[in-house]
C-alpha cells in the first residue's frame, strides 16, 4: 500500500481520457487548494523565527520595533485596544475569557494541580500578574470586567494560601501583582501624530519592552541591579492579608 496513492488519477480504460485526469488534478493545482498552498510556500520562504530557543523574543527580529517608526505608539495602542474590545471583551460567550469553560474545565483547578506538582517536586514556584499598560485596565473596567479581574486575583491568592497552610514548615510560594496602576504602567502615550517619541516601558497596551521585563524579573527573582530603577509600587507581593487593600 502506498499512502496518498489514488488509482482514479490514472487513465485505466479506453473510455477515459487524459483530459478527465487533468480536471481531477486541476482542483489541487489551479484552484483554491493550490492557491493556498502556493501562497503559504511563498510566505514561508522569507520566514524568520521571532523567538529564541529559550522562549524569549529575539530583539533583532522584533516586529513591534520595526513597525513602530511607521505607525507610532498611539496608533499601535489604538489598534490593540480595538482588538480586545471587539474580539474578546464584547464578543460572544464562546470568545470571552473566563475562569471556567465546559470544554476546558476550571482554570483555577489547573493552577492548583500545577502548585501541587511544584511542591511535590521541590520546585520553587514564583507567580505574577503581567504588567499591561494602565489604559488596558481602564478599558477592562469600562467593559464591565473589573470584577472578574478582582475575582481572578482573589482565586490565585487563595490557591497560594491553601498550599502555604498545607506546608507550614516550608517557604510559601510568591505571587506578585504588576497588573495594576503604577509609575511604570501609567507611562504617558504619545499623541497620534507623534511618530518620533519612543516610549520607555511599552510598545503598546499589552506588550511591554525589554526594560520592563527586566524590572519584572528583578522583582520576581528578588534580584538587585544597581543600574536599574526600583519602584515600590511595581510588583507588589500579594497575600491573603493584603488582597483587599
Amino acid at each position: 500500500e502506498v499512502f496518498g496513492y489514488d488509482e482514479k488519477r490514472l487513465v485505466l480504460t479506453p473510455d477515459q481520457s487524459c483530459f478527465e485526469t487533468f480536471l481531477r488534478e486541476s482542483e489541487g493545482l489551479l484552484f483554491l487548494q493550490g492557491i493556498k498552498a502556493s501562497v503559504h510556500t511563498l510566505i514561508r520562504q522569507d520566514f524568520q523565527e521571532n523567538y529564541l530557543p529559550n522562549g524569549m523574543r529575539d530583539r533583532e527580529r522584533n516586529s513591534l520595533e520595526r513597525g513602530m517608526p511607521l505607525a507610532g505608539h498611539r496608533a499601535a495602542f489604538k489598534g490593540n485596544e480595538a482588538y480586545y474590545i471587539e474580539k474578546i471583551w464584547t464578543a460572544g460567550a464562546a470568545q470571552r475569557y473566563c475562569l471556567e469553560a465546559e470544554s476546558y474545565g476550571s482554570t483555577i483547578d489547573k493552577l492548583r494541580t500545577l502548585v501541587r506538582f511544584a511542591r511535590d517536586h521541590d520546585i520553587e514556584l514564583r507567580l505574577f500578574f503581567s504588567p499591561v499598560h494602565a489604559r488596558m485596565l481602564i478599558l477592562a473596567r469600562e467593559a464591565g470586567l473589573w470584577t472578574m479581574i478582582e475575582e481572578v486575583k482573589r482565586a490565585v491568592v487563595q490557591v497560594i494560601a491553601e498550599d502555604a497552610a498545607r506546608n507550614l514548615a516550608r517557604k510559601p510560594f510568591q505571587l506578585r501583582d504588576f497588573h495594576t496602576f503604577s509609575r511604570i504602567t501609567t507611562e504617558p502615550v504619545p499623541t497620534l501624530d507623534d511618530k518620533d517619541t519612543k516610549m520607555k516601558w511599552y510598545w503598546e497596551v499589552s506588550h511591554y519592552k525589554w526594560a520592563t521585563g527586566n524590572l519584572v524579573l528583578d522583582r520576581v527573582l528578588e534580584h538587585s541591579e544597581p543600574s536599574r530603577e526600583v519602584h515600590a509600587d511595581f510588583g507588589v507581593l500579594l497575600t491573603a492579608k493584603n488582597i483587599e487593600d
Side-chain angles (χ1 to χ4, degrees), residues 21-228:
T21 303
F22 167 75
L23 290 178
R24 292 195 192 97
E25 295 298 320
S26 66
E27 179 181 359
L29 293 174
L30 301 178
F31 299 129
L32 186 59
Q33 181 181 350
I35 292 173
K36 285 182 177 179
S38 299
V39 171
H40 180 72
T41 299
L42 290 172
I43 292 174
R44 297 292 297 183
Q45 284 179 344
D46 296 324
F47 174 78
Q48 291 182 319
E49 180 57 66
N50 289 326
Y51 295 89
L52 300 172
N54 63 5
M56 298 182 70
R57 184 184 289 272
D58 188 340
R59 298 179 71 180
E60 301 299 323
R61 298 175 181 172
N62 187 349
S63 57
L64 292 171
E65 186 169 9
R66 291 198 302 267
M68 206 56 65
L70 301 175
H73 285 288
R74 178 60 67 98
F77 267 74
K78 289 173 68 68
N80 201 269
E81 290 162 2
Y83 175 83
Y84 272 89
I85 293 171
E86 297 169 8
K87 303 297 184 180
I88 301 178
W89 293 341
T90 61
Q95 285 75 40
R96 281 195 175 192
Y97 66 89
C98 56
L99 292 178
E100 188 168 349
E102 184 176 349
S103 60
Y104 182 77
S106 169
T107 302
I108 299 302
D109 284 346
K110 286 178 169 54
L111 176 63
R112 283 194 177 92
T113 300
L114 184 151
V115 169
R116 289 194 186 100
F117 179 89
R119 187 63 79 184
D120 292 343
H121 292 80
D122 293 321
I123 298 171
E124 186 177 355
L125 185 64
R126 302 193 181 203
L127 305 173
F128 68 91
F129 290 109
S130 193
V132 297
H133 192 273
R135 286 173 62 99
M136 175 77 86
L137 301 176
I138 294 171
L139 285 172
R141 184 181 63 192
E142 294 300 314
L145 299 175
W146 194 256
T147 298
M148 178 178 287
I149 292 175
E150 292 180 329
E151 289 176 357
V152 170
K153 292 184 179 183
R154 290 191 186 99
V156 176
V157 166
Q158 180 62 32
V159 170
I160 300 301
E162 291 170 356
D163 172 78
R166 290 192 302 268
N167 299 275
L168 295 176
R170 305 174 71 179
K171 181 181 178 180
F173 291 143
Q174 288 191 1
L175 170 64
R176 290 197 175 271
D177 188 10
F178 300 93
H179 196 87
T180 185
F181 297 94
S182 67
R183 285 187 59 190
I184 302 298
T185 61
T186 55
E187 180 181 13
V189 181
T191 59
L192 192 59
D193 60 349
D194 181 359
K195 297 178 175 59
D196 298 320
T197 299
K198 304 301 180 186
M199 295 182 67
K200 182 176 182 179
W201 305 115
Y202 286 88
W203 294 109
E204 30 86 339
V205 72
S206 65
H207 289 87
Y208 45 89
K209 291 190 172 184
W210 188 277
T212 313
N214 283 335
L215 294 184
V216 170
L217 291 175
D218 285 348
R219 294 288 274 172
V220 170
L221 301 178
E222 299 176 281
H223 173 74
S224 177
E225 191 70 36
S227 63
R228 289 201 281 266

